[in-house]
C-alpha cells in the first residue's frame, strides 16, 4: 500500500490511504475531492487506482497480480460515487476454478457494502471470458463501461488511431469499452427466466430461518448473509461468516450466475473481503468459519470445507442448514 501511495501527489495521499482503513473502499466524498485536486474525472481516477487494487492480490499459484476498481451508483447527482477495489485470490492445492478473479472481488466488495449497483469497472487489461460472464449478471442488457488503460488496448477492440492526437500521443489515459462489445450474443438471467440482476435493491430477503434456534452471533451473521444472497436458479441461498483471533468478523454471500461456473461461493467472498482489510490479516488468523445455507440440488458445504482446509489445517467448518418459504 505505502509503495503505491508514492504514485499519487502528496495533497491526495491521505484520501487514498483511507481506502485501506475502509475495507478497500474510497468514499464518494473523498473520490470527489481527489478528482478536484487532480483535475481529473472519476474514470481516470479509477484507472489510476488499479495498481493499488492489485497490491492486495494473493496469486499463490500464478504469481500474476490483478486489480479492479468498480464504481457504485452516483451520489447526489454530482458525478461522484463510492469506489470499490478488488484483487485476485488463489487457493493452493485446489482446482483453478475456485480462484477469485479481481472483477469478482470488486463487485462482491461493493455488494457486501450494500451498494445497490455497479456503473463501471476499471481493470488493467480486457477481462477474461469468465469475468465478462460474471459482470453480465450485474449489468444485463444495460450499458456497462469497462475502463482500460490506453496502452492495453489493441485494434481488435477499437481503432487505436482514433485515440491518438496529431503528434501520435494518446489522447486519454484510458479507453472505455462496453461489456456488450466484449460479450456479444450474451447468455444471461433472462434466458433462465430471471428478471432481476445481482445487486438489485428490490431482490429482498430470502426469508431464511434456521432449522434449530441458535443465538450464536457468528451464526446469526452467516444467516443474515444467506438472506441477502443471490441464487435465483437453484435457490441454494447461502452465507458465510468468518471470525479472526482479534475478534473481527467478515461475511460473504453466494452470488449465482446464469452460466453457473462464474458463480462466487460465500466463503471466497468473505475471504476476499478480509484480504482487502488493514492490517493485512493472514489466513493463520482465522479462528471460526460458519456456513449457513438452504441446500437444494446443490450445496456449498463441500467446496467450503475444501477451501477452508487449504487455508487452515486447524479450523473446522461449522455448518447450519436453513429453510425458506420460497421453496
Amino acid at each position: 500500500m505505502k509503495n503505491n501511495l508514492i504514485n499519487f501527489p502528496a495533497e491526495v495521499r491521505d484520501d487514498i490511504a483511507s481506502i485501506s482503513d475502509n475495507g478497500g473502499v474510497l468514499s464518494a466524498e473523498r473520490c470527489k475531492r481527489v478528482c478536484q485536486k487532480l483535475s481529473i474525472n472519476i474514470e481516470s481516477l479509477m484507472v489510476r487506482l488499479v495498481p493499488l487494487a492489485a497490491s492486495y492480490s494473493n496469486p499463490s499459484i500464478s504469481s500474476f497480480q490483478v486489480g479492479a476498481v468498480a464504481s457504485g451508483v452516483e451520489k447526489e447527482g454530482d458525478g461522484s460515487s463510492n469506489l470499490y477495489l478488488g484483487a485476485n485470490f488463489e487457493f493452493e492445492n485446489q482446482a483453478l476454478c475456485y480462484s477469485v478473479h479481481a472483477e469478482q472481488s470488486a463487485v462482491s466488495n461493493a455488494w457486501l457494502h450494500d451498494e445497490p449497483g455497479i456503473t463501471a469497472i476499471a481493470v488493467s487489461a480486457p477481462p477474461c471470458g469468465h469475468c465478462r460472464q460474471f459482470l453480465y449478471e450485474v449489468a444485463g442488457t444495460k450499458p456497462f463501461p469497462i475502463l482500460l488503460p490506453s496502452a492495453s488496448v489493441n485494434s481488435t477492440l477499437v481503432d487505436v488511431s482514433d485515440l491518438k492526437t496529431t503528434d501520435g500521443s494518446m489522447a486519454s489515459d484510458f479507453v472505455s469499452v462496453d461489456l456488450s462489445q466484449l460479450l456479444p450474443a450474451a447468455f444471461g438471467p433472462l434466458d433462465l427466466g430471471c428478471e432481476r440482476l445481482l445487486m438489485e435493491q428490490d431482490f429482498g430477503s430470502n426469508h431464511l430461518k434456521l432449522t434449530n434456534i441458535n443465538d450464536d452471533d457468528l451464526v446469526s451473521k452467516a444467516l443474515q448473509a444467506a438472506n441477502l444472497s443471490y441464487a435465483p436458479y437453484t435457490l441454494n441461498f447461502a452465507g458465510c461468516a468468518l471470525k479472526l483471533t482479534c475478534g473481527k468478523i467478515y461475511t460473504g454471500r453466494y452470488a449465482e450466475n446464469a452460466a453457473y461456473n462464474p458463480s462466487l461461493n460465500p466463503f471466497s467472498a468473505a475471504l476476499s473481503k478480509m484480504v482487502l482489510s488493514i492490517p493485512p490479516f493472514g489466513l493463520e488468523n482465522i479462528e471460526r468459519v460458519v456456513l449457513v445455507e438452504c441446500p437444494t440440488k446443490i450445496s456449498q458445504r463441500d467446496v467450503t470445507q475444501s477451501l477452508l482446509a487449504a487455508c487452515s489445517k486447524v479450523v473446522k467448518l461449522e455448518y447450519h442448514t436453513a429453510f425458506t418459504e420460497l421453496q
Side-chain angles (χ1 to χ4, degrees):
M1 175 68 179
K2 291 182 179 179
N3 292 336
N4 285 279
L5 283 178
I6 64 174
N7 296 322
F8 292 89
E11 63 266 30
V12 299
R13 287 179 188 168
D14 285 344
D15 285 316
I16 300 300
S18 72
I19 294 173
S20 298
D21 300 321
N22 199 28
V25 183
L26 182 67
S27 70
E29 178 184 0
R30 290 181 181 274
C31 174
K32 182 179 180 180
R33 184 161 58 233
V34 171
C35 287
Q36 289 175 339
K37 289 182 177 180
L38 299 182
S39 298
I40 60 176
N41 57 26
I42 189 173
E43 291 84 2
S44 290
L45 177 58
M46 291 170 65
V47 173
R48 293 191 187 190
L49 287 173
V50 168
L52 176 60
S55 70
Y56 289 95
S57 68
N58 187 349
S60 57
I61 300 172
S62 68
S63 300
F64 188 76
Q65 292 185 312
V66 185
V69 180
S71 59
V73 175
E74 183 178 337
K75 307 294 183 183
E76 301 177 356
D78 60 3
S80 64
S81 65
N82 295 333
L83 298 183
Y84 300 91
L85 276 60
N88 60 321
F89 189 98
E90 298 166 356
F91 296 90
E92 290 188 33
N93 302 312
Q94 293 294 316
L96 295 178
C97 63
Y98 295 135
S99 300
V100 179
H101 296 229
E103 293 89 335
Q104 290 179 303
S105 174
V107 170
S108 180
N109 190 20
W111 191 33
L112 290 171
H113 279 92
D114 297 322
E115 182 68 47
I118 294 298
T119 57
I121 194 165
V123 286
S124 56
C128 69
H130 180 280
C131 289
R132 298 178 193 191
Q133 183 66 49
F134 184 83
L135 292 173
Y136 191 69
E137 198 75 30
V138 178
T141 57
K142 297 178 293 186
F144 189 85
I146 310 291
L147 309 177
L148 306 167
S150 297
S152 73
V153 178
N154 57 46
S155 58
T156 61
L157 289 178
V158 296
D159 187 346
V160 179
S161 62
D162 292 340
L163 305 176
K164 295 183 177 180
T165 61
T166 54
D167 64 0
S169 62
M170 300 301 288
S172 175
D173 57 352
F174 72 92
V175 175
S176 177
V177 180
D178 193 77
L179 178 61
S180 61
Q181 188 175 346
L182 299 177
L183 192 66
F187 179 88
L190 286 176
D191 295 288
L192 293 181
C194 178
E195 297 182 354
R196 290 171 176 161
L197 299 171
L198 176 63
M199 295 185 68
E200 285 192 339
Q201 277 186 306
D202 64 350
F203 195 76
S205 170
N206 299 319
H207 306 287
L208 292 180
K209 296 180 181 179
L210 291 173
T211 52
N212 295 307
I213 296 176
N214 193 308
D215 58 2
D216 185 300
D217 183 53
L218 198 64
V219 176
S220 297
K221 284 183 167 53
L223 175 63
Q224 181 181 23
N227 262 316
L228 294 171
S229 63
Y230 175 82
Y233 313 114
T234 67
L235 301 184
N236 176 223
F237 304 116
C240 184
L242 59 88
K243 183 178 181 179
L244 306 185
T245 52
C246 65
K248 287 186 175 292
I249 294 174
Y250 298 92
T251 61
R253 309 168 187 164
Y254 178 42
E256 206 160 67
N257 191 276
Y260 288 13
N261 281 349
S263 301
L264 181 65
N265 70 78
F267 175 72
S268 292
L271 200 62
S272 176
K273 188 175 181 182
M274 183 194 82
V275 169
L276 292 168
S277 300
I278 291 294
F281 299 108
L283 300 178
E284 69 278 2
N285 296 114
I286 299 175
E287 181 179 82
R288 292 179 62 196
V289 175
V290 173
L291 174 68
V292 171
E293 73 166 347
C294 180
T296 55
K297 290 183 178 180
I298 71 167
S299 172
Q300 304 298 319
R301 186 174 189 174
D302 287 348
V303 64
T304 304
Q305 287 178 324
S306 295
L307 296 181
L308 175 57
C311 297
S312 172
K313 298 185 182 301
V314 178
V315 181
K316 301 300 180 183
L317 178 65
E318 300 172 40
Y319 179 75
H320 299 266
T321 58
F323 65 92
T324 176
E325 298 170 358
L326 298 181
Q327 287 183 302

